[in-house]
Structure formats: structure tokens, C-alpha cells
Amino acid sequence: EADIYQTPRYLVIGTGKKITLECSQTMGHDKMYWYQQDPGMELHLIHYSYGVNSTEKGDLSSESTVSRIRTEHFPLTLESARPSHTSQYLCASSESTGTYFGQGTRLTVV
Amino acid sequence: QKEVEQNSGPLSVPEGAIASLNCTYSDRGSQSFFWYRQYSGKSPELIMSIYSNGDKEDGRFTAQLNKASQYVSLLIRDSQPSDSATYLCAVSGGYNFNKFYFGSGTKLNVKP
């Protein structure tokens, strides 16, 4: 069973606020990812990392930033939240046997 | 062209029938293939992986891989209403070795 944790699970925040979505995994995976997914829609890769101090932007343009200072931790930060950022954010990690997802953070910006 | 293509559905089958889900991929060098199930409002969960041509069975699920034709399929036997979900196909190990490519998913409805 995958051990990947996201906090908070739900977040409602006002426009212009800075937020950080937390993601941690205990499996020692080098590869970690952030996906954005709207209800009923496909996954969109917004950031990925192949190891400590390695981060790349994904296929979907995003105003968020990420950091990877420790293998197990891959937080995502929005400097100034906007209503267009309202979505579900999924963190994942992978090895050759597959990709494993956290439970997600549902973000609502009002 | 997308890396992984799936019919979005919905695919409707009666309870007890076989559900057949299909996926094609563009990178002929891909080596690893996965099926995920995603219930509404939940995260995707890995249900099957397959790495070589042929069939792989796990309970009511059978994954089929044909690298020559670049397609992967998932068969669900004796479909149950609890199987109603979106099924995502994922592929990795191609020219961009480290990346996993997900299809957009096929929605399956199993009618009681």
C-alpha cells in the first residue's frame, strides 16, 4: 500500500492569499509529481521532480511553484491565490512498479 | 497526438457482463503499462500493471498487451456496480524514460 500524504484535504481561502499544499511520502521514491484535476476531467501534470533539488514544470502552465529539499517532501506553493486556481490537486510518487497518489487537496478560492 | 489515447465513454454494461476497456499509445519504445481506477471525487488507484506481451490475470481483471499494435486493454469479468468508475491507462519507459503518461480515462457504468 502506498504511503503518500497530502494536507490539507480541503481548503477554502480568499483571493490573494499565499498557500502551501503539503505532500510527503515514506516510500523513498525519487520521482514525485503534482497533478491538477477538475471534476470529471483528465489529469494535468503541473510539476515534477526526479530527486532532491530537481524540479521541472509540467505540461499545464501553472502559477504555482514547488521545492524538493528532502526526498520525502514535495510542497506546492501558490503566492497569490485566484478563483481560477479552484481545483483538486493530487500529489504522486512513482517507481518502476507504478505511480501512487495521495488523497488530494480540494482547493476553493473565493 | 497524445501519448496515450482512450475513449472517454461512458461505457455501459449490465451487471455480470464483461467490460472491455481499451488504450493505445504512441511511443513504440514504451515498456511499462498500468491501469488505474478512479472513483468520483477520489484519487486514482493502481489496479494492474503489465510489462510483456500477452495476458495478465488478477482476480476478475485481465490486462492484455500487444506491443506490435501498441494497445493495452483491461477486461473486467462479472462486472459489478461497484466497478463503476473512470479507468485510466498509463504508460512509461519510452523515449522520456522517467515520465508516466496518463490517458484521459474511460468512464464505466455497470447497471444493476
Side-chain angles (χ1 to χ4, degrees):
Chain A
E1 180 153 330
D3 294 317
I4 180 163
Y5 307 100
Q6 290 185 244
T7 57
R9 291 287 311 280
Y10 303 92
L11 179 62
V12 180
I13 200 162
T15 298
K17 299 292 186 183
K18 177 180 178 178
I19 57 171
T20 296
L21 308 184
E22 300 288 348
C23 176
S24 294
Q25 52 100 359
T26 59
M27 297 170 283
H29 292 167
D30 287 325
K31 300 170 196 170
M32 296 190 73
Y33 313 84
W34 277 102
Y35 291 90
Q36 187 174 339
Q37 187 180 37
D38 293 321
M41 305 300 286
E42 62 184 293
L43 292 167
H44 290 288
L45 180 66
I46 50 175
H47 294 283
Y48 60 97
S49 168
Y50 292 156
V52 171
N53 295 325
S54 151
T55 62
E56 300 285 346
K57 288 187 180 294
D59 305 317
L60 181 68
S61 176
S62 173
E63 294 161 342
S64 58
T65 59
V66 292
S67 63
R68 190 87 182 278
I69 299 172
R70 302 197 315 267
T71 297
E72 63 271 21
H73 194 215
F74 191 41
L76 180 144
T77 298
L78 275 168
E79 291 292 334
S80 180
R82 294 212 300 262
S84 60
H85 296 138
T86 294
S87 189
Q88 166 129 304
Y89 293 83
L90 294 167
C91 181
S93 69
S94 74
E95 57 175 8
S96 60
T97 59
T99 298
Y100 303 92
F101 289 85
Q103 291 182 297
T105 294
R106 188 167 297 280
L107 173 65
T108 302
V109 183
V110 297
Chain B
Q1 181 187 9
K2 286 190 172 184
E3 299 284 345
V4 179
E5 299 271 8
Q6 293 182 258
N7 187 319
S8 61
L11 172 66
S12 292
V13 299
E15 184 175 356
I18 295 175
S20 177
L21 304 160
N22 300 310
C23 165
T24 59
Y25 60 95
S26 60
D27 184 351
R28 186 171 289 276
S30 299
Q31 299 176 27
S32 304
F33 307 87
F34 308 90
W35 283 100
Y36 291 78
R37 177 176 62 201
Q38 185 174 25
Y39 292 115
S40 180
K42 302 294 186 182
S43 300
E45 59 175 321
L46 179 64
I47 56 172
M48 289 285 290
S49 59
I50 187 166
Y51 305 99
S52 55
N53 278 329
D55 294 0
K56 179 181 177 182
E57 189 174 316
D58 184 0
R60 295 187 296 111
F61 298 97
T62 299
Q64 298 175 318
L65 174 60
N66 184 324
K67 289 186 177 180
S69 300
Q70 294 176 243
Y71 86 79
V72 195
S73 62
L74 179 70
L75 301 179
I76 306 175
R77 289 182 300 282
D78 188 23
S79 295
Q80 301 297 309
S82 58
D83 295 326
S84 297
T86 297
Y87 289 81
L88 304 171
C89 173
V91 173
S92 74
Y95 74 95
N96 197 335
F97 187 80
N98 283 314
K99 289 191 85 170
F100 280 77
Y101 294 96
F102 283 86
S104 55
T106 298
K107 186 173 176 59
L108 173 66
N109 291 328
V110 180
K111 297 182 176 180

